[in-house]
Amino acid sequence: MTPLETVTAVYFSATGTSKRGAEAVADALSSALKSARQTMDLTRFDAAPARTHFGPGELVVFGAPVYGGRIYRGAAERFRRLKGEGTPCIVTVTYGNRDFDDALRELADLAEEQGFRPVAAAALVGEHTYGEIQKGRPNAGDLAEDRAFAEQAARKLAAGDLSAPAIPGNFPYKDGGSGGKFFPRAAENCTGCGLCARECPEGAIDPEKGFAADPARCISCFRCVRLCPAGARRMDDPAYLEFAAAFTKRLAQRKENRYFL
């Protein structure tokens, strides 16, 4: 097999969990394969890929969050801008301790449709957007597992093995892939810096309307809540707080990362 010249992590990651998993895998692959390392972050609503075509002598690591058992449809739309030429890839999805359902298979199918060759896959547990579910994950142990998986994948690639792994999931895929129903608001201490509007994955926050989130576009990722330097993006609606408490209790049992070679 021709040596892989570059390893590129391509991800949609509103809160950083999918980014951490994809980058951990890409970093370990780059080190093991002695390949150059690149990153393509497609999270922001105005994100444009630095490049759209990848050759057979490259490796791409895709990372996306799970929304209702599917990959978030906005991530799918962004990934469809990219084309491979039999380019090997590793697909990863991040889910918040419930289940990844059809998402990993969907991402592998999408990659294949775009000309990539999935050779490994991973379903990674991350801190859920809602409630207090798996706080702090991926943690150091999770990232160590990601690196060990990447090193196994590197050995597979170095041996010239481009076979596809058996990935769980069903087709037709289950319904899902859209956002939630809880929309952050701007509190009185908002300074009007505009960071939330610039960083929103769907451009759903309008500075001209008091930085309110447009329910028709907001995907309830809470990226704005996590990024606001003044702590002025709030999710304190009583209906959300009640839901989050029940959801936290229901998903209390820890799940582990799953890897497919």
Side-chain angles (χ1 to χ4, degrees), residues 74-115:
E77 290 167 1
R78 288 158 168 82
F79 293 162
R80 285 195 177 95
R81 302 173 191 170
L82 310 179
K83 298 289 185 181
E85 298 177 16
T87 309
C89 75
I90 294 175
V91 293
T92 72
V93 298
T94 305
Y95 71 108
N97 207 54
R98 187 193 64 79
D99 203 332
F100 56 95
D101 296 306
D102 301 333
L104 193 59
R105 175 173 174 178
E106 180 185 13
L107 183 53
D109 290 346
L110 186 156
E112 192 168 5
E113 290 167 6
Q114 297 304 112

Side-chain angles (χ1 to χ4, degrees), residues 1-6 33-35 56-58:
M1 177 178 171
T2 303
L4 299 172
E5 297 179 357
T6 61
L33 297 170
K34 297 180 171 54
S35 304
E58 302 182 76

Side-chain angles (χ1 to χ4, degrees), residues 49-60:
R51 52 188 296 220
T52 57
H53 288 77
F54 295 83
E58 302 182 76
L59 175 63
V60 174

Side-chain angles (χ1 to χ4, degrees), residues 87-223:
T87 309
C89 75
I90 294 175
V91 293
T92 72
V93 298
T94 305
Y95 71 108
N97 207 54
R98 187 193 64 79
D99 203 332
F100 56 95
D101 296 306
D102 301 333
L104 193 59
R105 175 173 174 178
E106 180 185 13
L107 183 53
D109 290 346
L110 186 156
E112 192 168 5
E113 290 167 6
Q114 297 304 112
F116 296 89
R117 297 185 63 174
V119 298
L124 310 175
V125 178
E127 182 176 325
H128 202 288
T129 299
Y130 298 161
E132 301 290 321
I133 301 165
Q134 295 304 303
K135 295 289 286 185
R137 296 186 73 186
N139 55 30
D142 292 316
L143 296 176
E145 289 181 5
D146 295 346
R147 290 190 290 271
F149 158 71
E151 289 165 1
Q152 286 182 284
R155 289 193 290 271
K156 176 179 177 178
L157 288 163
D161 184 354
L162 296 178
S163 61
I167 298 174
N170 299 299
F171 184 84
Y173 313 124
K174 66 174 292 182
D175 290 337
S178 59
K181 60 181 180 179
F182 302 110
F183 312 115
R185 66 176 183 85
E188 296 75 13
N189 60 321
C190 172
T191 65
C193 72
L195 180 65
C196 58
R198 292 192 298 275
E199 291 292 334
C200 177
E202 292 299 332
I205 300 173
D206 190 347
E208 302 300 321
K209 296 182 179 179
F211 294 97
D214 179 355
R217 300 171 71 181
C218 176
I219 60 173
S220 304
C221 68
F222 297 3
R223 178 176 173 88

